[in-house]
Amino acid sequence: MKKLALLTIIAFTAFSTSASAQKSTKKGMKKVLFVVTSNDKLGNTGEKTGFWSEELAAPYYELLDQGIEITIASPLGGQPPIDPKSNDPASATEDTKRFDADKTLQEKLKNTHKLSTINQKDYDAVFYPGGHGPLWDLVEDKNSIALIESFYTHKKPVAFVCHAPAVLKNVKVNGEFLVKDKKVTGFTNEEEEAVGLTKVVPFLLEDALIKDGAKFSKGPNWAPYAVEDGLLITGQNPASSKLVAAKLLEKLNN
């Protein structure tokens, strides 16, 4: 009986320690909010747009594989539109192939949180994938603007890639544009011209950020390029997605 009682105590202690460790790990897990567009219309062209799959997939897995908990939100909630061109086999990467086969992520995307219900207090950082979609909704979305300002003023990293830096266009901190005198990058005028959409987009990202006082820099077209300035991290194009995520991960781990 004594031996049985001792074994019971040992087993209970081991279980309690394991449960405590799991609770501690969960509590200490970093949380990142992904914000994607709800807009599926490419201006007045009659064509579809949305978020660019690689720009969500590459950072998502870069962070997830390092134990980061990720929540996805959009202005309207529910399933956000994916730019059909980003599903072209010619644009496929290992991350997008994983994305296509990831039923858990697909289910998460079907049920994105409505942006108006999100509180920055629940997260350690925010990340915006690009695609042309954000140019027509997130740029003007008051919830998005307020959210970025809140993350930034609470000393939390804010990260954007490709067209997503455009959502900074109307974000102000203490009455000044957030990007004023900050090093930034994003989808360039040359890259927009190369895809033939300079006359379709509501504004050119590069011009808009420079107008707001940003120190805009860029690398070669389509090559990975990202810059950080304090809490602000921006990447130039789809190929820069993983680089932005790596910079964000470094900040989260510091």
Side-chain angles (χ1 to χ4, degrees), residues 65-143:
D65 291 347
Q66 295 301 315
I68 304 296
E69 185 178 325
I70 300 167
T71 297
I72 307 176
S74 61
L76 299 180
Q79 178 70 55
I82 301 174
D83 190 313
K85 291 180 181 176
S86 70
N87 284 335
D88 188 318
S91 302
T93 66
E94 290 306 311
D95 290 309
T96 61
K97 291 174 186 176
R98 182 177 173 184
F99 169 85
D100 291 338
D102 190 339
K103 293 182 180 179
T104 300
L105 177 52
Q106 300 303 331
E107 191 63 27
K108 186 183 286 190
L109 278 169
K110 286 180 184 176
N111 299 283
T112 66
H113 296 259
K114 201 168 184 178
L115 200 53
S116 59
T117 68
I118 296 294
N119 191 323
Q120 65 79 18
K121 291 180 181 178
D122 299 325
Y123 305 94
D124 299 291
V126 65
F127 170 76
Y128 281 68
H132 282 88
L135 297 176
W136 282 275
D137 65 349
L138 288 170
V139 171
E140 306 294 340
D141 189 284
K142 292 180 179 179
N143 291 310

Side-chain angles (χ1 to χ4, degrees), residues 141-161:
D141 189 284
K142 292 180 179 179
N143 291 310
S144 176
I145 292 168
L147 196 65
I148 295 168
E149 179 184 350
S150 186
F151 269 93
Y152 192 81
T153 55
H154 284 85
K155 311 298 182 187
K156 295 178 180 180
V158 292
F160 312 82
V161 70

Side-chain angles (χ1 to χ4, degrees), residues 41-76:
K41 295 179 178 64
L42 188 64
N44 298 318
T45 64
E47 295 183 32
K48 295 294 186 181
T49 188
F51 72 85
W52 198 262
S53 60
E54 181 184 1
E55 295 167 27
L56 182 138
Y60 183 88
Y61 293 121
E62 186 79 6
L63 297 174
L64 185 74
D65 291 347
Q66 295 301 315
I68 304 296
E69 185 178 325
I70 300 167
T71 297
I72 307 176
S74 61
L76 299 180

Side-chain angles (χ1 to χ4, degrees), residues 177-196:
F177 288 112
L178 187 154
V179 299
K180 184 180 180 183
D181 297 324
K182 299 286 194 311
K183 298 173 185 175
V184 301
T185 190
F187 204 65
T188 66
N189 291 354
E190 287 182 3
E191 287 169 322
E192 200 69 81
E193 187 174 352
V195 297

Side-chain angles (χ1 to χ4, degrees), residues 23-38:
K23 186 176 181 181
S24 175
T25 301
K26 187 73 174 176
K27 186 177 180 182
M29 184 181 289
K30 296 288 186 179
K31 299 178 180 181
V32 174
L33 175 71
F34 275 41
V35 179
V36 295
T37 183
S38 290

